[in-house]
């Protein structure tokens, strides 16, 4: 059994939040679970474009809630976690961090020296230690990496993986979303194997893909959940939604919650005449 | 649902503009909900094997009245008529009728 | 038949009320010409010789049954939609053609039909290839080869120029109800949008009934404020654009309220699509984005037309009850917002 | 024959948007945007649905591999020699760069008297994420303060205090990655003067304005109006234009300010009515990419951005009064003032104290392209100019709509159909143009509806 994925929640007190994932291994695992999310961070290798982005992965609150409910993940929140973590750093912790940093440098030094020697050997030069100048150059060329994931928050994060607490966090998250029933709709679609992504740019709540969006076109533009009994269909919207679908080969889908939380879906498309 | 008012509008449109044949009217809920069955002049979708009987629900789109077609009503229609799809015949304030397919559940879009 | 009139002649007037454009010449040095002019001026009128009759069908739908009236309203400002056609009343001629009564006529709808057939045929062919591709994949053929095949296939398809003659329709059983001894029953009527009916009664004296009668037809004897408000909102927007010279027609085909044409559908496509909103309305964002996509796809600009009442609800109700429609409409203000998608990459220089 | 509008639509390519209509791109193409690697040829298009073939399975595997390889290979940081350390200061909710260097200084941060560069949190995270600065926690008051506590990207994101702060960051980063110059609105305010100073309106102007607005808002209904059943027995109309003129007095409409003068007046008028509205925050000023940008005197921005999270409970798209309220607070390079076509610059120049900034930026903007535009504008016949005005509108802002990580931008512009008459008068076009200013040759781009 894989470990649960920690999801960081950026939130202000009394509001919903933004679920983010920073670990590439976790992102991989979520994808296997049918949750693609949206990569939103700048890729250090290509900082001048928006087509390919990197960590963090931003999730919809419905995705986060589903992952927690299914036991695949847990949410981590709390505005001052980092401040506390830094404040609680003891002399030991600092020594540990220092040691780690030094270890990384030492590895790099060893590697670079080795490379240097090999290079000289190829050129047929045998030379002793290059003295101060060389070592100054070496020190200046050591790489300081800014990591994706936090080490400071590691211990704190694990403390959130408690069922009761998670339930509370998820409830809070969903209660501050626009439409609680959208979550039920998400769950129903996910259980039928669809990958989902935010759908506003297509005029829906979700866009549904029959498999991984990397490989497949989307099939459905899913509307925000309707009141099954009382909310009449907005026919003007249906007309434009159906029309839109014809152009982009997506069906326009409406759904509502029946009794016992079951969702009834209907798919709409322009009939092609009239 | 005030469907009785738009029955003749949709019927005439089907028979004399869209040139459907064998158009019959059925009452689903007395004085409220009607449905037409009929045969279009050609297959309506390439995904269909053969030309088949289609079911058309006349509904009204109004610029200033709330609509009456809820999901529950749609479901009740599907319960009564066992069919692959319904077609909504939406009548507009300008006298035109536009037609939209409704499938029950999640359906695949036409492939091309 | 007059259908060979050029568009500029046929659609000379933008409104069903015509200006007096045949007054005699006024010659400054000839007082007799003044008198004659004055006589002509006084004796002529902008009014129609006979107001147009309407019928109410299906409860609250306003239709114009007279064949000449239909054509008149269409030719003079493009009012109304012929129910069995798409806009202009062509159903009768089309049906005559279909039934072999008059072969020469080739209406738009028939052409559209033909194009639809071509589209379907193309898709059918394409689908065949999908099956081939699946088969090839199963056999393990390289993806690059499959792509080549697909390209070649599509090219061939294009070259063939699938032209399909739409098969001649036979006379159907259903057509019996149309046939008379000397022709066919005209089932076509011109339907007016509620706002068009009000415009042709309230703003211009064209239809026979009074505004109050039309209002009651539309809303019933005791409408609620919401019903009145919605109708007013729609009308105010309609009147606003009509009176600034636009030809305003229903936008239902594009999921919006109105389309604005500079002169009318025969002359050009609509430039603008209008969604009418109450000034405090704020539907979900998906509403805007869905509509904007459809409108943008049709290469039109989307206008959000906001209507704001300048009087309290009670005052408006009271004016409505007094049938002071002029004040009712004048107490609403219109404001417009252009809604466009903005692509940062296209706005960098 | 009627043009088949609908058919054109059905077959037209729907609003293609290069910014990823479909999610998840072909990551094997990543190579093209990075510097070092070779370009990998593009593979086949996406499929309709899983078909159970091994080939498809393999292609999906490759696609995922390409994506995760790119993600894993994306190491950020810098060598010691080029290290620029930035420290988060919790008390200030800002970050400080004690020894700033690098080009980011041209457009970002603020340098204080001691030479330190102060960054807003979103600037800090943006720079850390792309590896330009290396983020640390400022350790004040700890004993072992010779050691700087390094932060990870995850740590820096945890500094955002609310969803809206984070959303603003996403919008900021999105535009920055495209090369725009972006700064938050609160910053910099004292540095430039608005040409919309309210104080400069005299009492006299105010009174005048009051009267004219009365006339505009309360329609003057003639005693014997066209709507009277007996009207046509007394009145004769000799042109369709006359009929239209009678009809278009009825519905009052907002007219858009088109000159500096009108902009000032409008601002003075509408201050009171905005009290019970949600006053949307205008988050960012945005300048198109340029090399001569100076932080100290940036000039008026090209765009202004309002951020809207559509999924947050209680949030809704701005209403009309809210949109108007935003318009009234806008302060950017209004292009309708510079567009020769829209109106005369002369009016603007008569108000020098309002206009300083405007003139400066105008001069800077006097690129060959702008000049050319102006020339072109002048040659358009009036009805084309009118159409351009209607399609372009006047004041506008960009609404950045945040949908769970996907950003859509919408431009909302003030439009004014009430001030334009498009009615068709036979021969009007030829009459007008024959008098004067007739373009030497008829422009090719005429609308299809030119009167016969």
């Amino acid at each position: 059994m894989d470990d649960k994925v920690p999801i960081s929640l950026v939130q202000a007190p009394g509001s919903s939040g933004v679920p983010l994932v920073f670990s590439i291994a976790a992102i991989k695992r979520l994808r296997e679970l049918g949750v693609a999310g949206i990569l939103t961070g700048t890729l250090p290798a290509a900082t001048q474009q928006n087509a390919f982005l990197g960590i963090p992965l931003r999730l919809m609150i419905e995705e986060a809630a589903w992952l927690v409910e299914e036991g695949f993940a847990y949410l981590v929140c709390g505005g001052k976690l980092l401040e506390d973590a830094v404040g609680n750093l003891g002399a030991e912790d600092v020594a540990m961090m220092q040691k780690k940093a030094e270890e990384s440098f030492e590895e790099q030094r060893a590697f670079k020296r080795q490379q240097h020697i090999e290079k000289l050997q190829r050129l047929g030069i045998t030379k002793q230690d290059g003295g101060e100048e060389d070592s100054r150059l070496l020190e200046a060329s050591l790489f300081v990496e800014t990591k994706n994931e936090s080490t400071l928050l590691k211990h704190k994060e694990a403390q959130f993986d408690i069922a009761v607490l998670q339930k509370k966090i998820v409830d809070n998250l969903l209660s501050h979303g626009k439409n609680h029933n959208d979550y039920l709709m998400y769950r129903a679609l996910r259980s039928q194997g669809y990958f989902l992504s935010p759908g506003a740019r297509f005029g829906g709540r979700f866009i549904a893909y029959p498999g991984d969006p990397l490989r497949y076109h989307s099939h459905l533009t899913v509307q925000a959940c309707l009141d099954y009994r009382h909310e009449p269909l907005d026919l003007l919207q249906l007309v434009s939604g159906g029309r839109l679908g014809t152009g982009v080969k997506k069906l326009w889908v409406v759904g509502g919650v029946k009794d016992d939380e079951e969702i009834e879906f209907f798919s709409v498309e322009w009939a092609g005449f009239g | 649902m005030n469907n009785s008012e738009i029955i003749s509008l949709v019927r005439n449109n089907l028979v004399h503009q869209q040139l459907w044949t064998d158009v019959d009217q059925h009452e689903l809920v007395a004085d409220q909900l009607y449905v037409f069955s009929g045969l279009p002049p050609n297959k309506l979708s390439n995904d269909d094997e053969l030309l088949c009987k289609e079911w058309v629900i006349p509904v009204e789109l109004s610029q200033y009245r709330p609509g009456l077609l809820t999901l529950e009503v749609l479901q009740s229609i599907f319960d009564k008529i066992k069919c692959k799809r319904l077609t909504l015949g939406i009548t507009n304030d300008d006298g035109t009728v536009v037609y939209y397919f409704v499938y029950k559940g999640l359906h695949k879009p036409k492939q091309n | 038949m007059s259908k060979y009139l050029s568009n500029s002649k046929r659609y000379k007037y933008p409104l069903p009320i015509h200006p007096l454009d045949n007054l005699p010449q006024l010659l400054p040095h000839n007082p007799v010409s003044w008198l004659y002019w004055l006589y002509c001026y006084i004796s002529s009128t902008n009014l129609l010789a006979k107001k147009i009759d309407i019928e109410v069908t299906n409860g609250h739908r306003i239709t114009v049954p007279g064949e000449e009236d239909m054509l008149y309203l269409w030719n003079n400002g493009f009012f109304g939609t012929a129910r069995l056609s798409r806009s202009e009343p062509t159903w009768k001629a089309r049906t005559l053609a279909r039934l072999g009564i008059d072969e020469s006529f080739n209406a738009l709808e028939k052409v559209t039909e033909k194009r639809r057939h071509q589209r379907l045929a193309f898709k059918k062919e394409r689908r065949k290839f999908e099956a081939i591709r699946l088969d090839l994949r199963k056999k393990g053929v390289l993806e690059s080869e499959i792509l080549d095949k697909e390209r070649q296939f599509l090219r061939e398809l294009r070259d063939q120029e699938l032209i399909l003659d739409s098969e001649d329709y036979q006379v159907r059983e259903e057509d019996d109800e149309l046939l008379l001894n000397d022709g066919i029953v005209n089932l076509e009527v011109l339907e007016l949008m509620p706002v068009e009916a009000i415009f042709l009664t309230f703003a211009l004296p064209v239809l026979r009934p009074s505004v109050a009668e039309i209002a009651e037809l539309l809303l019933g004897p005791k409408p609620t404020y919401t019903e009145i408000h919605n109708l007013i909102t729609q009308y105010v927007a309609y009147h606003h654009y009509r009176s600034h010279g636009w030809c305003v027609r229903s936008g239902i085909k594009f999921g919006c309220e109105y389309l604005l044409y500079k002169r009318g559908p025969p002359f050009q496509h609509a430039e603008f699509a209008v969604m009418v909103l109450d000034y405090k309305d704020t539907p979900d964002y998906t509403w805007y984005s869905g509509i904007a996509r459809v409108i943008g796809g049709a290469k039109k600009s989307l206008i959000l037309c906001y209507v704001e009442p300048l009087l309290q609800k009670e005052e408006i109700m009271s004016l409505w009850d007094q049938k002071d429609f002029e004040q009712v409409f004048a107490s609403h203000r219109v404001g417009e917002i252009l809604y466009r998608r903005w692509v940062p990459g296209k706005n960098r220089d | 024959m009627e043009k088949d509008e609908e058919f054109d639509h059905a077959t037209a390519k729907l609003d293609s948007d290069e910014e990823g209509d479909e999610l998840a791109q072909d990551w094997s193409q990543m190579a093209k945007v990075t510097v070092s690697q070779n370009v990998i040829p593009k593979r086949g298009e996406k499929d309709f649905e899983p078909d159970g073939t091994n080939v498809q399975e393999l292609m999906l595997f490759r696609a995922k591999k390409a994506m995760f390889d790119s993600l894993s290979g994306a190491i950020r940081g810098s060598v010691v020699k080029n290290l620029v350390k930035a420290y988060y200061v919790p008390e200030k909710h800002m970050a400080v760069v004690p020894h700033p260097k690098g080009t980011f200084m041209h457009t970002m941060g603020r340098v204080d008297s001691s030479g330190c560069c102060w960054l807003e949190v979103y600037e800090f995270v943006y720079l850390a994420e792309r590896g330009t600065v290396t983020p640390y926690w400022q350790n004040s008051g700890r004993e072992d303060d010779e050691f700087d506590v390094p932060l990870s990207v995850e740590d820096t994101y945890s500094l955002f205090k609310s969803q809206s702060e984070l959303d603003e960051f996403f919008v900021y980063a999105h535009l920055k990655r495209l090369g725009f110059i972006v700064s938050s609105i609160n910053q910099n305010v004292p540095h430039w003067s608005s040409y919309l100073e309210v104080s400069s309106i005299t009492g006299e102007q105010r009174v005048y304005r009051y009267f004219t607005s009365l006339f505009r808002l309360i329609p003057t209904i003639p005693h014997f109006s066209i709507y009277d059943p007996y009207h046509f027995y007394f009145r004769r109309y000799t042109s369709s234009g006359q009929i239209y003129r009678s009809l278009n007095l009825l519905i009052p409409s907002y007219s858009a300010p088109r000159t500096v003068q009108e902009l000032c007046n409008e601002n003075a008028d509408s201050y009171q009515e905005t009290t019970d509205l949600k006053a949307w925050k205008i988050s960012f000023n945005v300048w198109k990419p340029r090399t001569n940008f100076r932080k100290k005197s940036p000039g008026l921005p090209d765009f202004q951005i309002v951020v809207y999270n559509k999924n947050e409970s209680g949030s809704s798209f701005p209403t009309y009064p809210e949109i108007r309220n935003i318009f009234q607070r806008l302060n950017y390079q209004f292009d309708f003032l510079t567009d020769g076509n829209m109106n005369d610059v002369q009016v603007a120049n008569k108000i020098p104290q309002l206009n300083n900034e405007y003139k400066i930026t105008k001069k800077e903007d006097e690129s060959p392209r702008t000049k050319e535009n102006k020339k072109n504008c002048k040659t358009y016949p009036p009805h084309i100019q009118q159409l351009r005005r209607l399609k372009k509108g006047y004041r506008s802002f960009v609404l950045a709509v945040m949908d769970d990580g996907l950003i859509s931008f919408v431009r909302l512009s003030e439009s004014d159909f009430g001030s334009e008459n498009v009615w068709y008068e036979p021969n009007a076009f030829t009459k007008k143009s024959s008098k004067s200013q007739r373009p030497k040759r008829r422009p090719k781009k005429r609308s299809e509806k030119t009167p016969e």
Side-chain angles (χ1 to χ4, degrees), chain D residues 291-330:
Chain D
T291 45
N292 57 356
F293 183 84
R294 277 168 303 150
K295 261 195 302 187
K296 284 230 172 89
S297 55
L300 291 167
D302 295 306
F303 310 103
Q304 290 186 296
I305 311 266
V306 174
V307 180
Y308 161 50
N309 185 316
K310 70 158 280 277
N311 294 325
E312 210 170 3
S313 70
S315 73
S316 48
F317 198 85
T319 63
Y320 185 60
E322 287 166 1
I323 293 173
R324 289 194 59 79
N325 172 271
I326 296 171
F327 283 149
Q328 282 154 15
R329 288 183 286 129
L330 290 176

Side-chain angles (χ1 to χ4, degrees), chain C residues 20 41-42 44 46 87 119 244 261 268 270-271 282 300 308 326 333-334 336 338 340-342 348, chain D residues 2 5-7 17 178 217 221 225 236-237 252 254 317 391 409 411 413 417-418 421-422 449:
Chain C
L20 304 177
Y41 182 84
I42 289 168
S44 41
N46 298 104
S87 40
R119 230 155 52 220
H244 282 97
Y261 294 83
Q268 72 285 95
E271 300 271 5
T282 162
K300 303 185 193 311
E308 172 184 359
E326 189 174 336
R333 179 164 47 188
V334 169
E336 284 130 347
L338 278 165
R340 263 173 304 176
R341 286 198 315 139
W342 188 74
R348 283 198 290 191
Chain D
E2 185 188 345
E5 206 158 356
E6 215 185 322
F7 177 79
D17 174 1
L178 291 170
L217 300 185
I221 299 160
S225 86
R236 309 277 184 277
Y237 290 91
Y254 279 102
F317 198 85
K391 289 202 162 177
F409 294 95
R411 187 161 191 176
S413 321
F417 281 65
N421 294 317
V422 301
K449 57 132 276 189

Side-chain angles (χ1 to χ4, degrees), chain C residues 125-334:
Chain C
E125 292 300 314
R126 230 203 112 102
R127 234 172 86 113
K128 276 187 200 156
F129 188 83
E130 297 294 325
I132 297 173
R133 171 155 69 189
L134 182 61
D135 193 47
L136 289 173
R137 269 200 190 150
K138 281 188 179 144
K139 285 180 190 152
V141 176
L142 279 180
E143 194 64 12
S144 56
E145 276 180 39
I146 300 181
L147 275 177
D148 282 345
K149 283 227 164 71
E150 180 172 4
R151 241 173 262 131
Q152 191 192 344
F153 172 81
L154 289 174
R155 208 181 304 123
E156 280 170 12
L157 206 57
R158 224 183 6 254
D159 293 345
Q160 277 176 25
E161 264 198 71
L162 286 159
I163 293 169
L164 278 158
D165 285 321
S166 62
E167 60 271 43
D168 287 325
Y169 293 112
Q170 297 176 350
V171 181
R172 309 160 305 156
E173 207 183 307
E174 281 80 0
D175 296 323
D176 292 349
E177 63 192 57
L178 300 176
L179 296 172
L180 294 175
N181 294 338
D182 53 344
I184 59 168
V185 185
N186 193 4
L187 281 183
E188 184 98 288
V189 291
L190 191 80
E191 178 156 347
L192 296 171
M193 285 192 281
V195 290
E196 286 177 316
I198 298 175
F199 187 80
L200 294 174
T201 312
F202 162 75
L204 295 173
V206 174
L207 303 183
R208 191 174 299 287
S210 70
V211 194
E213 284 164 348
I214 297 261
E216 188 169 334
L217 282 175
L218 294 169
L219 297 178
K222 267 264 154 254
T224 64
Y225 174 74
T226 314
E227 286 172 322
I228 292 174
H229 175 74
N230 290 348
L231 184 60
I232 294 172
T233 305
Q234 293 295 329
Y235 181 71
V236 162
Y238 181 85
H239 186 110
H240 174 65
Y241 295 112
R242 263 287 174 189
S243 66
H244 282 97
W246 295 96
C247 166
V248 188
R249 297 196 44 85
S250 165
I252 179 67
K253 296 247 155 98
F254 298 98
C256 67
E257 256 116 19
Y258 300 126
L259 295 177
L260 304 186
Y261 294 83
K262 258 196 137 172
R263 271 184 79 188
F267 293 94
Q268 72 285 95
H269 286 184
E271 300 271 5
F272 296 97
V274 180
M275 282 307 299
V276 182
L277 291 154
D278 179 82
Y279 77 121
K280 280 187 172 162
D281 276 349
T282 162
D284 188 77
Y285 171 70
T286 51
W287 181 92
Y288 300 86
S289 81
I291 289 164
R293 254 178 194 276
V294 175
I295 303 300
K299 303 243 171 350
K300 303 185 193 311
S301 305
L302 174 59
I303 304 160
L304 307 176
C305 172
Y306 290 94
V307 179
E308 172 184 359
L310 300 171
L311 297 176
Q312 296 300 310
K313 180 174 157 179
E314 296 73 27
E315 296 172 285
I316 289 171
M317 280 300 262
S318 144
L319 285 170
W320 185 271
D321 290 340
Q322 292 163 35
K323 304 188 175 24
D324 189 349
F325 298 104
E326 189 174 336
Q327 275 303 335
V328 168
F329 298 138
S331 327
H332 288 77
R333 179 164 47 188
V334 169

